[in-house]
Amino acid sequence: MTDPRQAPIPDGPAVLPMILIAAGRREDDPAAVWTALLDIAQTGSGQGEVPVWSGSTVAEVVAGVDASVARLRALLDDGYDRSIVVPVGVLDPAGDPFTWQAPLAAAVDGLRASHPEADILDLGRAAPDPAVEALAHVLAIPRNDSPSMLAGSLVRGFSGDPAVLARFVACLREALPKGTTIALRGSAVTGQRHAEDVPFDADGPGTSDLDVVAIGEHVAALWVPEARLMGGINTLPLSDKAPWVAPSLDPTRRRAQAVVKRPLSLQAMAGWFLDLRGLVQGHPYVILDEPT
């Protein structure tokens, strides 16, 4: 296959698409592959980057469709049956990403046909792709400096699919005030219930809830006065059991809940109070969406 972006442009270097590849084995923790991908995405500098190895997972930046497909094929032949492909851009701004996404997608389809046992997630199916945009946005948030925690949250809360995260955030944004930051805490982040040795989804797929926090100057006003604690620093959780605490927001919460196919609890909280709880009570969190 000939890469349409590998022809030299006049008086300039070759234009090559940059593609992130992460791979692991199906018997391993699925979050491990995402951890490797997020790590290389946060630290990688481009073509020729040394691959990131973590146990039986690998992630690297590859330049060019042909080189990327060859690398994926080699990983598949070596028994790496879980892969993620993320087209992220070109080396030169003159390059048009849309001209090479179609050949890459066709090549991935060919690899799927020749390796039916493998699970290959291609985040470049559409252009522009909301899944890629969501992943890039989460990676750009300075406070999300732990790839393993972010990866685990993505796998547990959003089925390891940034497209689900993108739809979830877009749904919540419909009703939250402009400038609201959306954070995730609880067992979806830590992997187990707080102070209990009970893993996430211990009672079956989709049984554990997502504990989401909305942070912003005006967001607490969506809760009824009786549900605002300490003057609005914190609120009672909005959930299936307590829709009365923020009745105008509950229809949006239910739609977001349908996106992730699991219970959703939503609180408003001051950012400093969320940080304090994380420090004192050991409640870590990740930011899912933060206004730029």
Side-chain angles (χ1 to χ4, degrees):
M1 179 180 63
T2 300
D3 183 348
R5 302 312 304 166
Q6 289 187 3
I9 61 176
D11 300 320
V15 178
L16 297 175
M18 303 305 296
I19 300 166
L20 302 183
I21 296 175
R25 304 181 193 278
R26 188 165 300 179
E27 64 268 20
D28 297 333
D29 180 1
V33 179
W34 280 104
T35 298
L37 176 70
L38 295 173
D39 190 49
I40 193 70
Q42 289 179 341
T43 62
S45 59
Q47 185 178 12
E49 185 71 28
V50 176
V52 171
W53 291 88
S54 177
S56 59
T57 62
V58 61
E60 57 192 283
V61 182
V62 183
V65 172
D66 286 344
S68 300
V69 173
R71 183 62 179 135
L72 278 169
R73 184 178 292 109
L75 289 167
L76 288 165
D77 291 342
D78 285 342
Y80 288 85
D81 53 5
R82 175 179 281 134
S83 302
I84 306 170
V85 184
V86 187
V88 292
V90 292
L91 287 178
D92 189 280
D96 180 0
F98 301 160
T99 61
W100 54 266
Q101 283 186 335
L104 177 62
V108 170
D109 285 341
L111 291 175
R112 287 191 180 118
S114 60
H115 295 80
E117 77 289 350
D119 179 14
I120 306 174
L121 179 60
D122 175 13
L123 298 186
R125 282 284 127 178
D129 191 334
V132 176
E133 292 179 4
L135 184 62
H137 185 63
V138 170
L139 286 171
I141 297 173
R143 281 182 280 176
N144 287 339
D145 58 357
S146 172
S148 60
M149 185 173 292
L150 189 58
S153 301
L154 180 63
V155 168
R156 286 184 287 269
F158 305 97
S159 303
D161 189 346
V164 175
L165 171 61
R167 292 195 298 270
F168 178 78
V169 167
C171 187
L172 290 179
R173 283 257 167 255
E174 293 176 2
L176 292 173
K178 185 178 180 180
T180 301
T181 293
I182 301 172
L184 178 68
R185 57 193 291 273
S187 58
V189 175
T190 63
Q192 63 181 33
R193 297 175 192 167
H194 182 64
E196 298 181 40
D197 191 20
V198 179
F200 186 78
D201 271 354
D203 297 326
T207 55
S208 291
D209 70 330
L210 292 189
D211 188 355
V212 173
V213 177
I215 308 164
E217 183 179 357
H218 305 292
V219 68
L222 298 175
W223 271 252
V224 299
E226 297 83 0
R228 301 174 203 165
L229 309 177
M230 297 179 289
I233 292 174
N234 192 13
T235 66
L236 295 177
L238 173 64
S239 65
D240 288 340
K241 296 179 180 179
W244 64 270
V245 302
S248 66
L249 186 57
D250 194 54
T252 297
R253 183 198 64 84
R254 290 182 181 273
R255 288 193 293 273
Q257 182 170 261
V259 170
V260 293
K261 299 178 181 178
R262 63 174 62 253
L264 170 60
S265 172
L266 180 62
Q267 284 178 278
M269 194 178 298
W272 66 264
F273 188 67
L274 179 63
D275 287 333
L276 181 64
R277 294 190 65 173
L279 179 65
V280 176
Q281 298 178 322
H283 291 177
Y285 66 88
V286 296
I287 302 296
L288 301 179
D289 190 61
E290 187 171 59
T292 55

